């Protein structure tokens, strides 16, 4: 979720917010690699056989304002929920939620996806959730997508046996693209859905998601788990797949009731070209 979707209150002071809710923010995250479940456990064991660690560690990568993991943390107090986001404003809002709702099993990490290898040990994560990640529709930005084959290969190393990666998005083109990337990275699909809200209502609905669906968006999703490691040829298939999300748009653009965020200008340009009898993309 980008900053364009966040309305800041008057006199918002970012530094003051980060300081006020610092108890929920981990600024020295690399020091906890391999021991998040134990290090974040809030209680001292009362006896030798008492549990002294969270049963699972879940990561919401690109957590936004933290609504999703806050709801998850309420539902499953025996699990640790980590929210990562590169935007300080998002971290401030998410940390405020964690503190005000007294969610000791919710911790925020002000880092981006590139830092993952330094933050977690192999097999440490039970699940990684990608909620409405930035789609980066242009071909030359494809490597930034969290569902790019190379990112997905990196996630494999961090997942515990049977761990999952779940994508939820309003972007049908990103979803279509991801369907080629997960298999290329050696994942087995557990489910693929073009209506996650109807088919998987167990996922908490956030305010952001509600705003999108009120505008006509569908929530598309994929849940996958690592299978056998892919060979080089299979990985290359993912890299060779069409990388421009423009190519995944439906044939009839005028039937679209909702245009994914970030693709509005491109869709309008394509519609204008079609009205003039021109090809959607020059050179096609």
């Amino acid at each position: 979720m980008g900053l364009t979707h966040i309305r800041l209150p008057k006199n918002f002071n970012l530094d003051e917010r980060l300081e006020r809710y610092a108890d929920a923010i981990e600024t020295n995250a690399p020091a906890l690699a391999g021991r998040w479940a134990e290090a974040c456990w809030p209680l001292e064991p009362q006896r030798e056989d008492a549990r002294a660690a969270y049963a699972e560690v879940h990561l919401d990568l690109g957590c936004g304002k933290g609504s999703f993991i806050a709801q998850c943390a309420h539902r499953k107090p025996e699990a640790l929920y980590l929210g990562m986001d590169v935007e300080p404003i998002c971290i401030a809002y998410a940390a405020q939620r964690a503190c005000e709702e007294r969610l000791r099993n919710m911790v925020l990490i002000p880092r981006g996806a590139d830092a993952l290898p330094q933050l977690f040990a192999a097999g440490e994560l039970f699940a990684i959730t990608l909620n409405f990640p930035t789609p980066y529709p242009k071909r030359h930005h494809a490597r930034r997508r969290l569902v790019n084959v190379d990112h997905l290969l990196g996630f494999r190393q961090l997942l515990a046996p049977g761990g999952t990666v779940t994508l939820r998005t309003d972007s049908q083109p990103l979803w279509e693209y991801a369907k080629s990337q997960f298999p290329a990275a050696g994942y087995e699909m557990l489910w693929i859905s073009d209506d996650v809200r109807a088919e998987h209502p167990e996922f908490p609905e956030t305010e952001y998601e509600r705003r999108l669906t009120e505008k006509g968006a569908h929530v598309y999703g994929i849940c996958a788990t690592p299978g056998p490691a892919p060979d080089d040829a299979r990985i290359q298939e993912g890299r060779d797949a069409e990388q421009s999300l423009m190519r995944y748009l439906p044939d009839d653009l005028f039937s679209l009731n909702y245009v994914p965020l970030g693709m509005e200008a491109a869709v309008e340009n394509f519609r204008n070209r079609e009205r003039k009898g021109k090809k959607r993309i020059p050179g096609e």
Side-chain angles (χ1 to χ4, degrees), residues 30-49:
L32 302 186
R35 57 189 193 93
W36 282 96
E38 297 81 16
C40 294
W41 182 250
L43 303 176
E44 293 294 331
Q46 300 300 309
R47 58 183 189 275
E48 289 186 4
D49 62 342

Side-chain angles (χ1 to χ4, degrees), residues 108-125:
L108 288 310
I109 307 171
R111 299 290 188 96
D114 291 343
L116 287 175
Q118 290 77 50
L119 305 185
F120 302 103
E124 188 166 17
L125 297 176

Side-chain angles (χ1 to χ4, degrees), residues 2-265:
L3 289 177
T4 55
H5 308 300
I6 298 178
R7 294 181 180 178
L8 299 180
K10 187 177 181 180
N11 300 322
F12 180 90
N13 186 314
L14 177 59
D15 291 337
E16 186 273 333
R17 290 288 183 106
L18 292 172
E19 182 177 354
R20 189 193 315 175
Y21 303 113
D23 285 350
I25 303 172
E26 181 52 64
T27 57
N28 192 26
L32 302 186
R35 57 189 193 93
W36 282 96
E38 297 81 16
C40 294
W41 182 250
L43 303 176
E44 293 294 331
Q46 300 300 309
R47 58 183 189 275
E48 289 186 4
D49 62 342
R51 182 160 60 92
Y54 287 105
E56 302 166 354
V57 180
H58 294 246
L59 174 65
D60 186 1
L61 187 53
C63 65
K65 295 163 70 174
S67 174
F68 178 82
I69 55 169
Q71 293 180 71
C72 291
H74 276 295
R75 294 180 181 185
K76 200 170 186 179
E78 71 275 15
L80 175 64
Y81 287 88
L82 303 176
M84 284 181 62
D85 208 293
V86 72
E87 296 291 353
I89 293 173
C90 291
I91 292 294
Y93 271 110
Q96 178 178 352
R97 184 184 296 271
C99 290
E100 292 181 349
E101 298 181 19
R102 299 184 178 182
L103 291 168
R104 302 186 71 177
N105 62 327
M106 176 177 167
V107 177
L108 288 310
I109 307 171
R111 299 290 188 96
D114 291 343
L116 287 175
Q118 290 77 50
L119 305 185
F120 302 103
E124 188 166 17
L125 297 176
F126 182 81
I128 299 174
T129 303
L130 312 173
N131 278 316
F132 304 95
T134 303
Y136 296 109
K138 295 183 179 179
R139 180 181 288 108
H140 62 275
H141 290 155
R143 290 183 65 84
R144 299 183 185 179
R145 294 176 199 144
L146 294 179
V147 292
N148 174 279
V149 63
D150 292 295
H151 274 299
L152 293 173
L153 287 169
F155 298 161
R156 286 179 61 100
Q157 310 304 315
L158 306 178
L159 288 170
T164 59
V165 176
T166 302
L167 165 72
R168 296 194 311 142
T169 180
D170 66 303
S171 174
Q172 183 179 4
L174 180 67
W175 178 65
E176 296 286 357
Y177 167 80
K179 287 192 283 186
S180 71
Q181 301 297 292
F182 275 96
Y187 285 77
E188 297 175 355
M189 301 297 207
L190 299 179
W191 54 259
I192 302 173
S193 173
D194 63 359
D195 191 349
V196 175
R197 179 51 46 209
E199 297 177 6
H200 297 277
E202 69 273 14
F203 286 97
E205 184 180 33
T206 67
E207 178 186 349
Y208 179 71
E209 178 183 346
R210 194 176 305 114
R211 289 204 307 268
L212 292 180
T213 55
E214 287 173 354
K215 293 179 180 179
H218 277 248
V219 179
Y220 302 89
I222 294 172
C223 183
T225 190
D231 58 24
D232 292 343
R234 196 174 185 189
I235 294 170
Q236 193 59 44
E237 287 178 7
R239 293 171 179 162
D240 291 340
E242 176 57 61
Q243 299 295 311
S244 172
L245 296 190
M246 312 300 179
R247 301 280 186 170
Y248 294 91
L249 287 165
D251 292 334
D252 184 3
L253 294 178
F254 294 95
S255 67
L256 286 177
N257 294 320
Y258 173 81
V259 178
L261 295 176
M263 301 190 76
E264 298 91 343

